[in-house]
Amino acid sequence: MRMWKRAIAVAMAVGVCLHTPAQVLATTKAETVQEINTDAENTNNEVTNTMTAIKAMSVSKKAAQNKRYIGKFKVYAYSGGGITASGARTRANRTVAVDPRVIPLGTKIMVNGKVYVAEDTGGAIKGNTLDIYMPSESACRQWGVRTCKVYILG
């Protein structure tokens, strides 16, 4: 019995794992089943994400077909985040500050082919002026000031 304990101690010191064939088979089966379940779950998540993206694209394509041109706007960018005038949190690629007399809050608009939601207002936003929320100051500087055609979707 002592030799068996010594063999185990030596094997553990060397880093060799002593298993009986039944233990190896059980471990291998469990790992394989877990890998298969993980792969299936990842595939399901990818399919769900793809379907969500396709639905979002089809919704925006339908909305884009029902767009109404409202004019050229001077478009700025802002960052800093926080709570908007409509009560929502600012989100990049979604939030736009507008003059509510020109574009009502909650309206979906298209600027340069991208869809935004009018969720915020600002003291400097008067008339045909927009302020798009961006995630960083460097993105705002890169955007600069542009004149863009703006469409209301719906």
Side-chain angles (χ1 to χ4, degrees), residues 20-137:
T20 64
Q23 289 173 323
V24 171
L25 184 60
T27 304
T28 307
K29 282 183 181 179
E31 289 173 356
T32 304
V33 168
Q34 185 177 8
E35 287 175 12
I36 290 171
N37 288 340
T38 303
D39 289 343
E41 185 176 311
N42 289 341
T43 303
N44 286 340
N45 289 342
E46 289 173 13
V47 168
T48 302
N49 291 342
T50 304
M51 293 301 292
T52 303
I54 289 171
K55 287 178 184 176
M57 287 173 50
S58 64
V59 167
S60 46
K61 280 185 180 180
K62 287 177 186 175
Q65 290 172 353
N66 297 327
K67 63 185 179 182
R68 187 182 79 212
Y69 178 70
I70 58 171
K72 287 189 176 182
F73 282 63
K74 201 165 204 175
V75 183
Y76 299 88
Y78 75 105
S79 64
I83 304 296
T84 64
S86 64
R89 289 192 76 51
T90 52
R91 291 186 2 198
N93 299 318
R94 176 183 167 89
T95 304
V96 177
V98 299
D99 181 350
R101 293 173 294 167
V102 178
I103 300 172
L105 290 177
T107 304
K108 288 187 180 185
I109 61 172
M110 183 182 289
V111 180
N112 280 354
K114 292 184 181 177
V115 178
Y116 299 95
V117 179
E119 294 181 324
D120 205 1
T121 61
I125 309 299
K126 302 286 186 213
N128 286 8
T129 305
L130 296 178
D131 212 353
I132 296 176
Y133 177 76
M134 301 218 170
S136 66
E137 286 186 35

